[in-house]
Amino acid sequence: MENHNDLSSSSSNLMNHTLPEEILKSLINGDLSLPHTRNFELPSVIRCCGGCEEEHYCSKLCAESDWESVHSLLCTGQSSGSSQAAMLRFLEHANGTNDIFILAAKVISFTILKYRKLKQLHFEGCKLLDRLGETDESRFSMLLEAWKPISMGFKKRWWDCIALPDDVDPCNEGSFRMQIKDLAFTSLQLLKDAIFDNECAYLFSLEVYGHIIGMFELNNLDLVVASPVEDYFIYIDELPSPEKKLRDLLGSFLDALGDEYSICCQGTAFFPLQSCMNHSCAPSAKAFKRDEDRDGQAVIIACRPISVGEEITISYIDEDLPYEERQAQLADYGFKCRCSKCLEEQP
């Protein structure tokens, strides 16, 4: 926020390229601001309404939506309904081994919470119609309905599809995949201790858990958002020449930040529609997250004209790699590519 005092009025204290402690404290407290920061305002950070420290949000609406759809079962705060100690053990294991387990837990939590909403609606409908309540068949039908948004991305089990690391000898592949399966089993047991729901027991089988993690392993789309700090300094650097003094002044901050100021914000996401698209080394479209998109959505953009009735394909790998390298990477997805480009380039 560009309020209170502007840093440019304190320039005499910074021209020696040092950052006095009192200036740093004033910036942190908001009593002092960098010039032109009004062009780079960020939303206030909203804390989890359950009181945990794991999740932070850009708006109250975002926080409430996540609480209702996913987080209320996974929250470790005092106001949550989950088993706090058990959930902390699950998170500690995930953070210490592979945070893909947290994504899998969110899928299970999402499905359970949606099932409970469908069940409540069904129960209220039965009361209005003066009918008998739920049956085992109706409960399973509602669970399948809750699972539907995830089902389209349901692919191979994690331990079957994960790529063999370069430091693992191929002759030890079987042992490696068994270790991965055991790791998933341990994670699942910890998650069951925290949020198990007997009516949704199907979701807590190792087979389903393995397929959920495999879905993320094979289908996730990497998200990269440019660092707002880097954007700010690029803006300052491109100011007209009369403001050269300001650029020199802010050089002190660049020196203090080192290379870390330019580190982008990285994440990953699962998009059901994108996950259904087949691969081609000569794709007709590409899926990615644009910096200007602030709604959490990804976009599919055509790379060339696409004819009516033509399949829309994307590339799962770097399609500019040589034929042999492309085939080796695609083997992790469980198929040999026979697209037009591969047929043309194969020996």
Side-chain angles (χ1 to χ4, degrees):
M1 298 291 294
E2 195 169 16
N3 50 21
H4 302 96
N5 298 315
D6 192 286
L7 184 64
S8 57
S9 63
S10 306
S11 60
S12 60
N13 296 324
L14 289 175
M15 292 312 291
N16 60 355
H17 295 286
T18 60
L19 294 177
E21 185 176 347
E22 62 270 16
I23 289 183
L24 289 175
K25 287 183 178 179
S26 296
L27 285 168
I28 293 172
N29 295 332
D31 298 328
L32 196 64
S33 64
L34 296 176
H36 300 285
T37 52
R38 189 178 298 277
N39 298 320
F40 296 88
E41 290 182 348
L42 296 175
S44 300
V45 176
I46 306 298
R47 295 183 178 274
C48 167
C49 56
C52 76
E53 296 297 327
E54 282 79 21
E55 303 292 337
H56 297 82
Y57 304 91
C58 61
S59 68
K60 184 178 179 181
L61 180 63
C62 182
E64 292 174 348
S65 175
D66 188 43
W67 180 264
E68 292 179 4
S69 62
V70 175
H71 188 59
S72 56
L73 281 184
L74 306 178
C75 182
T76 58
Q78 297 293 339
S79 301
S80 69
S82 65
S83 173
Q84 187 179 20
M87 182 53 63
L88 284 171
R89 287 193 294 270
F90 167 80
L91 292 173
E92 182 180 9
H93 176 265
N95 289 323
T97 55
N98 195 323
D99 56 10
I100 201 170
F101 294 136
I102 298 176
L103 295 176
K106 289 185 176 184
V107 167
I108 291 177
S109 177
F110 167 84
T111 307
I112 292 174
L113 291 173
K114 188 168 184 180
Y115 163 77
R116 290 176 181 175
K117 290 178 182 177
L118 292 172
K119 179 182 173 182
Q120 180 64 28
L121 291 173
H122 174 80
F123 178 72
E124 291 174 355
C126 289
K127 286 179 64 177
L128 290 173
L129 296 174
D130 195 26
R131 294 179 180 175
L132 293 175
E134 62 203 43
T135 63
D136 289 343
E137 183 178 350
S138 67
R139 281 195 293 267
F140 188 68
S141 176
M142 287 183 282
L143 184 58
L144 289 179
E145 181 65 24
W147 175 254
K148 187 180 293 185
I150 310 300
S151 63
M152 65 176 64
F154 205 59
K155 300 290 175 67
K156 292 185 174 183
R157 296 175 302 187
W158 182 44
W159 47 87
D160 292 332
C161 68
I162 187 172
L164 194 68
D166 294 336
D167 59 349
V168 175
D169 193 297
C171 66
N172 295 324
E173 181 175 353
S175 175
F176 166 77
R177 298 197 182 280
M178 184 56 66
Q179 290 176 13
I180 294 297
K181 184 177 181 179
D182 291 342
L183 193 64
F185 175 79
T186 300
S187 173
L188 178 60
Q189 296 309 304
L190 293 170
L191 184 62
K192 288 174 70 173
D193 291 342
I195 64 169
F196 182 76
D197 185 322
N198 191 56
E199 292 184 14
C200 301
Y202 166 80
L203 301 175
F204 293 91
S205 71
L206 184 59
E207 186 77 6
V208 170
Y209 198 58
H211 278 287
I212 293 173
I213 304 171
M215 174 182 72
F216 286 115
E217 185 75 26
L218 292 176
N219 294 300
N220 261 22
L221 183 66
D222 290 333
L223 306 182
V224 179
V225 179
S227 163
V229 180
E230 182 181 33
D231 287 345
Y232 171 76
F233 283 109
I234 290 175
Y235 174 85
I236 294 297
D237 192 54
E238 294 176 349
L239 288 173
S241 55
E243 301 207 39
K244 180 180 183 299
K245 183 179 178 181
L246 176 60
R247 292 198 294 271
D248 293 340
L249 167 66
L250 293 176
S252 303
F253 288 88
L254 279 176
D255 292 340
L257 290 170
D259 294 334
E260 293 185 359
Y261 83 94
S262 62
I263 296 177
C264 60
C265 304
Q266 294 181 310
T268 185
F270 171 75
F271 298 96
L273 181 60
Q274 174 252 329
S275 75
C276 294
M277 293 182 174
N278 285 325
H279 164 84
S280 172
C281 296
S284 59
K286 59 181 178 180
F288 72 112
K289 176 78 170 63
R290 301 182 300 189
D291 292 346
E292 61 266 29
D293 292 328
R294 306 296 182 184
D295 57 2
Q297 299 300 309
V299 294
I300 309 295
I301 295 183
C303 301
R304 56 174 174 77
I306 301 174
S307 303
V308 175
E310 178 185 357
E311 180 182 12
I312 298 176
T313 58
I314 59 176
S315 180
Y316 299 170
I317 60 169
D318 181 357
E319 64 269 25
D320 294 326
L321 290 171
Y323 171 80
E324 290 78 8
E325 292 185 39
R326 296 202 309 271
Q327 292 294 341
Q329 290 192 12
L330 290 169
D332 295 330
Y333 291 87
F335 67 88
K336 180 179 176 65
C337 184
R338 298 185 182 280
C339 69
S340 58
K341 183 175 180 178
C342 286
L343 291 175
E344 182 180 336
E345 295 180 4
Q346 68 180 358

